[in-house]
Every structure is written in structure tokens, then in C-alpha cells.
Amino acid sequence: MKSCISPALAVLFLAGPALAASYQLSDSIVGRAFYDAFDFQAIDDPTHGRVNYVDRSTAQNRNLTYAAGDTFIMRADFTKTLDPDGPGRDSVRIRSKNVYTTHVAVFDVRHMPQGCGTWPAVWTTSEVGWPNGGEVDIVEGVNDLTPNSVTLHTGPGCTMPAWRRETGTSTQLDCNAAVNGNTGCGVKLNTEQSYGPRFNAAGGGWYAVERTPTFIKVWFWSRNDWSVPADVRNGNDNVNTDSWGIPSAFFPNDSCDIEQHFNEHNIIINLTFCGDWAGSVYPSSCPSTCVDQVNNNPADFENAYFDLASLRVYE
Ligand SMILES: *[C@@H]1O[C@H](CO)[C@@H](O)[C@H](O)[C@H]1NC(C)=O
Ligand SMILES: *[C@@H]1O[C@H](CO)[C@@H](O)[C@H](O)[C@H]1NC(C)=O
Ligand SMILES: *[C@@H]1O[C@H](CO)[C@@H](O)[C@H](O)[C@H]1NC(C)=O
């Protein structure tokens, strides 16, 4: 008797659900490969930071970036006292050459910049027509204040439900950058180890983002978490996000058409100082004024660096 489903179709049906959350490695960026995968952006900081972003040759000559084996270091200068009327502290901003839509990115980070006045960020955005192409801030914070906040910024018409399946705590629900001075829709993570000195003391950890046409999820695992998925820990060629558990932050499509609000994104990693956010909240947690601290105390920025073990992107 003839079956009404062909064997090939039956296989498709069985494989369907698993395929949905399974991704294949497309970029494996380790050590020196960061130089090939990213451009250095010696630009003005749109958020008015006390920073001077340098180009690649300056960064390498001054050892502000350094690559060897499975290590890529990216830091601010910690030797120079600054002229108050001159440029800000030398630092680095890198942007991926490749752009991504549906993808998973796993950042294995051993150390992130710490210190009063620091404002580091690992994020993705569209270079055209911000904020209408969206922005996803995966790691972002200021002045060592924990925990990490994961935040989306969009054009009008993208909001998040109050109750959703995530371990973090949502803050503002409207992602529209025009609301409350570009606050965005944020989620505060549920662990102090997700940011700053506590993150570093634990040996860092992994941040992962999954973006599809219908949701954005971010996970964080501290270095010694029992729950780090094996495919993440081992840097496998395939990952299956279905096995990763409840995300730290979840941005569903209930009242936000993700595909419409997010277009092709570059990955950006940068470290600025003071400026619109770190400068405005500075007095609550740090000595002196932010700009004086950055100008006058170079040695306090010795730990203002990223140590990246790898960045793997899956599509
Ligand atoms: C650095 O990152 C922050 C955080 O997302 C961003 O707001 C700021 O514009 C960035 N600065 C530069 C120059 O890219
Ligand atoms: C450059 O930085 C790396 C990483 O921090 C360090 O190991 C190395 O000794 C530095 N090189 C010089 C010449 O300072
Ligand atoms: C949201 O995404 C789900 C799949 O994750 C889909 O079934 C649903 O139709 C989408 N809803 C809207 C309003 O687009």
C-alpha cells in the first residue's frame, strides 16, 4: 500500500522543529582573526565621551590592541595624563565587516573594562537610518555598576510585554529611542557577575545573542556556571539554542515586528568614558568628577580592557 506521506517529506516533518533552533558556524574569530573581521573606527563619539578613538596602526603601535594565540586584547591608554583642552583618552572602537540578520553570536569574554568613568559596550546596530534599523545592546554598563543591562533601541511602534519568559527583570517596555531620551526597552540581568569587577573576578563568561525574524534572546553564563551549554563552552561548529534554557533577556514579537524594526546589523565593541550616560550618573558611585578622573589618573585605567577569547557567529 502506498503511504500518503513520502519518506522524504516524513524526514522533513521530523527534522523541522529541531532545525528551527539549530545553527551552523559561519565566522570563527579568535586571536589575530579579529584584525581581519573588524574595522577600527577612529570617529567622534556620538555620545560625547571623553574619548579619542584611534585607528588600527596607532592601536597596534601603542599596544592598545594585542593579539596572540586565543587572545585578543582591546584597551584604553593607561599611561598619559591628558590636557584638559585636548582630546580624550585613547581607546578603540571596532565594527564587524560582516553584517547579520538571523544569527546566533557567542562572545567568550575573559575580562571586560572596569573603572570609574568607563562605559564599555558590546552591541549590534544598523549603520543606516538609526534608530529605524534597530540597536541591540548585549553588554553595556557604566562606572562598574552591576548588573548588566540588555537593551533594544528602535523607531516608534515596538514595545515589549511586561511578563515574558526570561530570568532578568524588564525595565522600560517601549523600545522607541524617542521615548525618555533614548532609554530603550531594557532588561537587568539577575546576577552581579554579569558586569564589571564581579564579572572579571569570576574569570568572565559567555554572552550569546539569538536573533530571528520573530524574537531576540540574550543569554549570559558566568565562567563557572554549571549550566553553560556544552556547544557554547566547546565552541562547537553547530549550536542548538533550544537546549540553552530560559534566556536572561527575551524580546518577543507580540507588539513589535522584529523583522521590520531590525535590519542588517554590524557587531560593534567599544569603550568610551563619561559622556551622556557614564558622565551623568558618575557622582553617585565615583570620586571627583568624571572628566577630571579620566584626565588626571591614567593608572586607574589599567583594567579598562577587553580580553576576548573568541567570537563565533552561527547562521
Ligand atoms: C559606544 O557604545 C555606546 C553603547 O552602546 C554607544 O551608545 C556609543 O554611541 C558608542 N560610542 C561610539 C563612538 O561608538
Ligand atoms: C602588550 O599587551 C599585552 C597584553 O596586555 C602584554 O602581554 C604585552 O606585554 C604588551 N606588550 C608591550 C610591549 O607592552
Ligand atoms: C510571533 O512569532 C511567532 C513565532 O515565534 C509566530 O508564530 C507569530 O505569528 C508571530 N506573531 C506576530 C504578531 O508576528
Side-chain angles (χ1 to χ4, degrees), residues 49-64:
R50 185 78 184 117
V51 74
N52 178 46
Y53 285 123
V54 301
D55 61 21
R56 174 176 165 174
S57 61
T58 307
Q60 287 185 281
N61 291 340
R62 301 206 192 134
N63 209 28
L64 300 181

Side-chain angles (χ1 to χ4, degrees), residues 39-86:
D39 289 319
F40 284 60
Q41 296 188 289
I43 59 170
D44 286 338
D45 181 355
T47 49
H48 315 106
R50 185 78 184 117
V51 74
N52 178 46
Y53 285 123
V54 301
D55 61 21
R56 174 176 165 174
S57 61
T58 307
Q60 287 185 281
N61 291 340
R62 301 206 192 134
N63 209 28
L64 300 181
T65 58
Y66 168 86
D70 65 353
T71 298
F72 181 74
I73 307 273
M74 180 176 138
R75 62 158 65 253
D77 171 77
F78 61 98
T79 61
K80 291 193 277 188
T81 301
L82 305 183
D83 172 354
D85 299 321

Side-chain angles (χ1 to χ4, degrees), residues 4-293:
C4 45
I5 292 181
S6 78
L9 258 181
V11 167
L12 260 184
F13 282 129
L14 289 173
L19 278 179
S22 166
Y23 297 80
Q24 280 204 337
L25 187 63
S26 55
D27 292 310
S28 179
I29 306 166
V30 179
R32 293 201 58 81
F34 276 89
Y35 287 117
D36 302 323
F38 283 85
D39 289 319
F40 284 60
Q41 296 188 289
I43 59 170
D44 286 338
D45 181 355
T47 49
H48 315 106
R50 185 78 184 117
V51 74
N52 178 46
Y53 285 123
V54 301
D55 61 21
R56 174 176 165 174
S57 61
T58 307
Q60 287 185 281
N61 291 340
R62 301 206 192 134
N63 209 28
L64 300 181
T65 58
Y66 168 86
D70 65 353
T71 298
F72 181 74
I73 307 273
M74 180 176 138
R75 62 158 65 253
D77 171 77
F78 61 98
T79 61
K80 291 193 277 188
T81 301
L82 305 183
D83 172 354
D85 299 321
R89 186 157 296 286
D90 289 347
S91 184
V92 178
R93 181 192 212 252
I94 60 173
R95 184 184 67 184
S96 67
K97 292 179 181 167
N98 288 344
V99 292
Y100 307 96
T101 53
T102 294
H103 72 288
V104 168
V106 180
F107 302 81
D108 182 346
V109 183
R110 296 192 189 97
H111 187 280
M112 71 167 72
Q114 67 178 69
C116 281
T118 57
W119 176 1
V122 177
W123 53 301
T124 75
T125 197
S126 162
E127 291 293 298
V128 280
W130 186 94
N132 295 322
E135 172 180 330
V136 181
D137 298 326
I138 302 161
V139 181
E140 187 179 16
V142 294
N143 304 321
D144 295 343
L145 296 172
T146 60
N148 183 49
S149 296
V150 178
T151 309
L152 306 187
H153 303 265
T154 66
C158 173
T159 61
M160 289 298 137
W163 300 103
R164 43 208 224 248
R165 208 165 169 265
E166 61 188 5
T167 60
T169 306
S170 52
T171 52
Q172 181 172 295
L173 299 176
D174 196 337
C175 309
N176 182 357
V179 171
N180 287 328
N182 193 22
T183 299
C185 50
V187 175
K188 273 185 190 302
L189 301 203
N190 68 348
T191 164
E192 302 296 314
Q193 290 180 338
S194 58
Y195 188 79
R198 297 277 300 274
F199 174 92
N200 295 332
W206 294 264
Y207 270 95
V209 61
E210 178 182 14
R211 173 179 155 192
T212 75
T214 57
F215 64 78
I216 293 169
K217 294 177 179 174
V218 171
W219 287 263
F220 166 69
W221 300 278
S222 187
R223 186 66 61 196
N224 297 314
D225 274 0
W226 61 269
S227 59
V228 189
D231 48 10
V232 168
R233 182 185 294 282
N234 300 331
N236 286 2
D237 287 351
N238 292 282
V239 292
N240 186 344
T241 55
D242 275 350
S243 65
W244 288 2
I246 299 175
S248 309
F250 176 44
F251 303 94
N253 62 347
D254 302 38
S255 48
C256 178
D257 183 338
I258 301 288
E259 202 166 19
Q260 184 206 324
H261 286 281
F262 293 83
N263 55 20
E264 292 186 319
H265 276 194
N266 298 88
I267 296 170
I268 303 179
I269 304 175
N270 69 345
L271 167 59
T272 188
F273 302 99
C274 309
D276 295 345
W277 186 11
S280 64
V281 301
Y282 186 83
S284 66
S285 53
C286 285
S288 177
T289 68
C290 193
V291 169
D292 285 347
Q293 168 71 7

